[in-house]
Amino acid sequence: MPLLEERHRVLNESGTVLLEKFGGSFLTCVKMSKNSAQKLLRLVVENFPSYRDEAVFE
């Protein structure tokens, strides 16, 4: 399986963030977004470092 170690790291990181900040449930993130995809995206990007997909485009 490609990138198995990286996938494992991301899953552990996500689980830790969910436990520490959202009571262990992603449903809490969804509820906090109050039916706004933009707010949900902001919550994910701000709290889950693995989902900050950034690059410099020239």
Side-chain angles (χ1 to χ4, degrees):
M1 180 184 272
L3 301 170
L4 182 62
E5 291 176 7
E6 178 68 12
R7 292 174 190 215
H8 182 256
R9 184 190 67 73
V10 169
L11 285 173
N12 280 327
E13 175 187 90
S14 297
T16 300
V17 171
L18 284 173
L19 286 170
E20 292 177 355
K21 297 184 177 185
F22 301 102
S25 175
F26 188 72
L27 182 58
T28 304
C29 294
V30 174
K31 289 178 180 178
M32 289 174 69
S33 70
K34 299 181 180 170
N35 296 324
S36 169
Q38 187 174 10
K39 287 180 183 178
L40 181 59
L41 178 61
R42 187 175 303 121
L43 273 174
V44 169
V45 171
E46 288 176 353
N47 292 285
F48 298 87
S50 303
Y51 292 92
R52 287 185 205 127
D53 190 16
E54 302 172 329
V56 176
F57 181 76
E58 294 180 22

